[in-house]
Amino acid sequence: MNDDLSWMLDSALEIPGALHAVLISADGLLMARTKGFGKDDADRVAAAMSGVQSLSRTLGFFCEDPQQRWRQTLVEFDGGWVFLISAGEGAYLGVSASPEVDMADITFRMQQLVAQLGKELTTPPRDNLGSRS
């Protein structure tokens, strides 16, 4: 797990009511998770969110235009919310929250995170900086 990405995801939890955050790949693999959220649970969430996103994306035609781009899926439960948004090419950001969360605050923070994650995900890793061959 990428610690830089996890640290960035932890910032989503600064919003009152935010519970957990995960970054997943389009094929349902876990890329990062907030601390305190177990890997097994995060893997399960990643796989499920990949399916949710795929199903959501196919519903563009329901809005009278099959070419509509999917932006966000919001699922409401008795005890909270799950937000899922695109986090760049082939990546998605998911956040769970309690019922009391300010939806505007959490979605704004998620958009901020996507901007930061986009930079992180497109920057190649810097390996062997001190070595010369």
Side-chain angles (χ1 to χ4, degrees):
M1 183 172 66
N2 185 318
D3 288 334
D4 289 338
L5 295 178
S6 294
W7 177 82
M8 291 170 74
L9 292 182
D10 286 339
S11 73
L13 305 185
E14 295 170 1
I15 301 295
L19 302 172
H20 307 289
V22 293
L23 181 66
I24 67 168
S25 66
D27 55 358
L29 298 176
L30 179 65
M31 298 170 69
R33 69 184 191 276
T34 50
K35 65 182 172 204
F37 191 52
K39 177 152 178 20
D40 288 345
D41 285 338
D43 283 335
R44 261 187 27 216
V45 166
M49 283 190 170
S50 176
V52 166
Q53 189 280 331
S54 180
L55 290 170
S56 298
R57 190 178 60 232
T58 63
L59 289 172
F61 80 93
F62 196 47
C63 294
E64 299 296 323
D65 183 356
Q67 302 305 312
Q68 299 237 13
R69 282 188 36 227
W70 171 83
R71 291 195 203 204
Q72 174 177 295
T73 299
L74 176 63
V75 182
E76 181 180 12
F77 296 93
D78 290 340
W81 301 93
V82 173
F83 300 83
L84 180 63
I85 65 171
S86 177
E89 190 66 34
Y92 307 107
L93 173 62
V95 174
S96 63
S98 69
E100 297 81 26
V101 74
D102 183 310
M103 293 175 74
D105 284 350
I106 195 71
T107 55
F108 180 72
R109 177 59 61 92
M110 289 175 74
Q111 292 297 330
Q112 288 177 318
L113 268 173
V114 164
Q116 293 174 323
L117 289 167
K119 293 174 190 169
E120 185 73 23
L121 293 173
T122 58
T123 303
R126 296 170 45 179
D127 294 332
N128 301 324
L129 288 177
S131 66
R132 292 185 184 229
S133 306

